[in-house]
Amino acid sequence: MSLSLLKLGAVLSTMAMISNWMSQTLPSLVGLNTTRLSTPDTLTQISPKEGWQVYSSAQDPDGRCICTVVAPEQNLCSRDAKSRQLRQLLEKVQNMSQSIEVLNLRTQRDFQYVLKMETQMKGLKAKFRQIEDDRKTLMTKHFQELKEKMDELLPLIPVLEQYKTDAKLITQFKEEIRNLSAVLTGIQEEIGAYDYEELHQRVLSLETRLRDCMKKLTCGKLMKITGPITVKTSGTRFGAWMTDPLASEKNNRVWYMDSYTNNKIVREYKSIADFVSGAESRTYNLPFKWAGTNHVVYNGSLYFNKYQSNIIIKYSFDMGRVLAQRSLEYAGFHNVYPYTWGGFSDIDLMADEIGLWAVYATNQNAGNIVISQLNQDTLEVMKSWNTGYPKRSAGESFMICGTLYVTNSHLTGAKVYYSYSTKTSTYEYMDIPFHNQYFHISMLDYNARDRALYAWNNGHQVLFNVTLFHIIKTEDDT
């Protein structure tokens, strides 16, 4: 008899757990609870007319590329979200229904066992009464054993009554789940013209188009500079290191030019890893000494300022010879208009998504910065822009998407302070700080392929990550 009590206790315990679970789960499934999803405070409300807005960044601390997109408001997106939520809700309800079905089968099986026990108990009770009426004919010992068994069974009678009530409750739950399932199915059919699979395919198509768009996306406005990442510590306080922004994905050669004067040796490394380990692949002995640290490698050639002159040299690494040289008219040189740190940094050659540039100053522009776009083959000046920012007050500068960004110092506390757009011929004062980790910057150049700033920071070769802001016009904006 004790085994029967254990079985019944286990069944009732299971029912209690299921009832408690349903009381907690059902309200949240049908939206009756008070829990709400929180919205991050940092999100900015974007008007649909503003089009796609993209914050792109070269890499995170783990080296992975980042592109954050804020899409314009679209009704289909909200429909898709509601449809997905309903589908998930339906799945949960179906899982509950299956669980209750299993529990119901178990309950029916055990209920049959209980009914059989109840019949046996009633028969035993009747027999006991009959025997009690004729107890004089029985031995006292047998009567006492029978009475003890009956006393054990008597407490089961109210328990059996409660069990039958719980069994009815399970049946009611089962019917309510069926009704809820039917209601949710109806809501899903009424939510819109698109079913889930069609919406899913539209989302996949949108993602594909967005990836294609990002491949074509190159230009944006500088919003933030993070880092630096120290790649290597080598050389003197002054120097330059660079990669080719037009090189193929498999071509990751690094070029290294130590010092700002009295040097003609360019060291080449097949990769960043070889550069870090010091495994040179080739050494070039240039025909002329260079001036400053503001050189650039562009489309397989090195562009540099010839020492004690305003002449620009184009040197081909593959051919091992000078392909072109041209004087930059009126450009100051040999510390006439250098950056704040000196070092014959009068002429700064750089490249961005648009092409090849020279940044310098002239007497004609009162020592203020002049920006010239160069023909990469002939070195001819195609167009120039005169700014109002004094060259001697600039710490360094770099071009991104046709906009020149100028820092206010080469020392601790330096920040991007001024920008000039060649597209609109307008300037803007900015306040974009960056961490000058080793206190003295003698070279700062942007690489469009890597979306990063290469810097020579007091004998350390470092990389800064940049975050650009883009606006992609939608068809509604045209």
Side-chain angles (χ1 to χ4, degrees):
M1 188 59 62
S2 60
L3 180 59
S4 300
L5 285 173
L6 287 173
K7 280 187 176 182
L8 191 56
V11 172
L12 294 176
S13 175
T14 302
M15 289 178 60
M17 291 171 62
I18 292 297
S19 298
N20 181 58
W21 170 75
M22 291 188 67
S23 68
Q24 295 179 6
T25 306
L26 278 175
S28 64
L29 285 175
V30 297
L32 297 179
N33 58 354
T34 58
T35 306
R36 294 291 183 269
L37 293 177
S38 61
T39 302
D41 295 334
T42 56
L43 285 180
T44 303
Q45 294 298 324
I46 303 298
S47 168
K49 295 182 179 180
E50 293 182 8
W52 291 93
Q53 301 203 29
V54 183
Y55 288 88
S56 68
S57 186
Q59 60 183 15
D60 63 8
D62 297 325
R64 297 169 298 192
C65 292
I66 295 176
C67 175
T68 303
V69 180
V70 180
E73 181 181 348
Q74 296 288 344
N75 291 332
L76 286 180
C77 293
S78 60
R79 284 186 178 181
D80 182 60
K82 292 178 182 176
S83 182
R84 183 169 59 253
Q85 290 173 357
L86 279 174
R87 191 172 70 89
Q88 294 171 349
L89 188 57
L90 277 171
E91 290 175 354
K92 291 182 179 179
V93 170
Q94 290 169 0
N95 290 338
M96 283 178 56
S97 181
Q98 292 173 0
S99 300
I100 289 178
E101 188 66 35
V102 173
L103 178 63
N104 186 54
L105 291 175
R106 257 175 47 191
T107 303
Q108 293 299 326
R109 181 195 64 193
D110 294 339
F111 185 58
Q112 295 300 320
Y113 171 75
V114 170
L115 289 176
K116 185 177 179 181
M117 279 183 56
E118 185 179 21
T119 302
Q120 291 177 350
M121 286 174 61
K122 289 179 178 178
L124 183 60
K125 184 176 182 181
K127 186 175 181 181
F128 178 75
R129 286 176 178 172
Q130 181 182 358
I131 292 175
E132 188 176 17
D133 292 339
D134 199 19
R135 60 182 180 276
K136 295 179 181 179
T137 61
L138 296 175
M139 295 178 63
T140 302
K141 179 180 179 182
H142 292 167
F143 173 77
Q144 186 64 31
E145 290 177 354
L146 192 59
K147 190 173 185 303
E148 288 175 356
K149 289 182 180 180
M150 185 60 194
D151 289 339
E152 290 179 0
L153 290 173
L154 284 175
L156 282 177
I157 293 177
V159 174
L160 291 173
E161 293 297 330
Q162 181 62 43
Y163 185 81
K164 287 191 287 185
T165 301
D166 290 340
K168 292 179 182 179
L169 184 62
I170 291 293
T171 303
Q172 291 176 2
F173 278 153
K174 186 175 169 184
E175 186 62 27
E176 289 176 10
I177 289 294
R178 284 200 189 100
N179 294 337
L180 179 61
S181 225
V183 170
L184 290 174
T185 301
I187 292 174
Q188 187 181 37
E189 291 174 352
E190 295 174 3
I191 199 169
Y194 302 101
D195 60 20
Y196 177 79
E197 291 302 325
E198 184 175 351
L199 284 172
H200 182 62
Q201 291 302 318
R202 290 170 68 91
V203 170
L204 291 179
S205 174
L206 177 61
E207 289 177 349
T208 301
R209 288 163 56 195
L210 183 58
R211 280 194 295 268
D212 292 341
C213 178
M214 290 306 298
K215 288 178 181 178
K216 299 175 183 177
L217 187 63
T218 56
C219 282
K221 180 179 179 180
L222 180 66
M223 300 297 293
K224 186 178 181 181
I225 300 175
T226 54
I229 299 171
T230 301
V231 177
K232 188 176 182 179
T233 301
S234 64
T236 63
R237 292 184 66 194
F238 317 99
W241 72 294
M242 65 215 79
T243 59
D244 189 344
L246 294 186
S248 65
E249 293 183 2
K250 296 181 180 180
N251 184 351
N252 296 302
R253 288 187 294 175
V254 178
W255 290 273
Y256 178 88
M257 302 169 69
D258 191 13
S259 186
Y260 65 86
T261 186
N262 292 325
N263 199 348
K264 298 193 298 180
I265 303 300
V266 180
R267 305 183 190 281
E268 182 182 282
Y269 304 84
K270 288 185 177 180
S271 65
I272 289 284
D274 285 351
F275 173 61
V276 172
S277 65
E280 295 179 20
S281 61
R282 190 170 176 182
T283 299
Y284 301 90
N285 191 354
L286 302 178
F288 311 107
K289 294 179 182 179
W290 64 72
T293 58
N294 305 117
H295 331 294
V296 65
V297 173
Y298 190 69
N299 199 22
S301 293
L302 171 68
Y303 297 82
F304 67 96
N305 177 207
K306 182 179 178 182
Y307 180 57
Q308 291 188 332
S309 75
N310 60 7
I311 296 174
I312 300 172
I313 304 292
K314 177 184 179 181
Y315 178 87
S316 170
F317 286 125
D318 292 337
M319 299 180 182
R321 62 182 180 87
V322 172
L323 297 184
Q325 55 181 309
R326 184 178 293 273
S327 174
L328 195 57
E329 191 175 20
Y330 304 124
F333 62 93
H334 204 62
N335 275 347
V336 173
Y337 295 120
Y339 288 128
T340 53
W341 64 275
F344 304 144
S345 55
D346 303 70
I347 297 175
D348 191 348
L349 300 172
M350 55 189 74
D352 68 354
E353 294 85 352
I354 295 175
L356 185 66
W357 304 86
V359 173
Y360 54 98
T362 64
N363 291 332
Q364 287 75 5
N365 196 36
N368 295 323
I369 290 177
V370 177
I371 307 169
S372 290
Q373 187 173 7
L374 305 179
N375 181 299
Q376 64 170 307
D377 297 321
T378 64
L379 303 180
E380 288 181 291
V381 173
M382 296 189 292
K383 188 175 181 179
S384 292
W385 294 260
N386 292 332
T387 77
Y389 197 90
K391 178 72 160 55
R392 283 180 167 273
S393 297
E396 275 288 345
S397 68
F398 53 90
M399 294 287 291
I400 299 179
C401 300
T403 296
L404 180 71
Y405 295 92
V406 181
T407 70
N408 63 343
S409 174
H410 64 284
L411 301 173
T412 302
K415 61 184 178 181
V416 176
Y417 180 72
Y418 175 91
S419 68
Y420 186 94
S421 169
T422 60
K423 181 178 180 180
T424 61
S425 298
T426 58
Y427 68 90
E428 177 184 358
Y429 286 99
M430 316 182 75
D431 187 4
I432 303 178
F434 60 95
H435 183 41
N436 189 348
Q437 184 168 349
Y438 303 107
F439 317 117
H440 187 288
I441 291 180
S442 60
M443 169 251 180
L444 187 65
D445 275 332
Y446 172 70
N447 186 293
R449 185 184 73 162
D450 300 335
R451 292 284 178 87
L453 294 173
Y454 283 64
W456 192 289
N457 198 182
N458 206 7
H460 301 79
Q461 291 75 52
V462 304
L463 289 172
F464 290 95
N465 187 31
V466 297
T467 299
L468 306 179
F469 174 70
H470 310 263
I471 293 181
I472 309 174
K473 295 297 182 182
T474 59
E475 294 179 359
D476 295 335
D477 300 325
T478 57

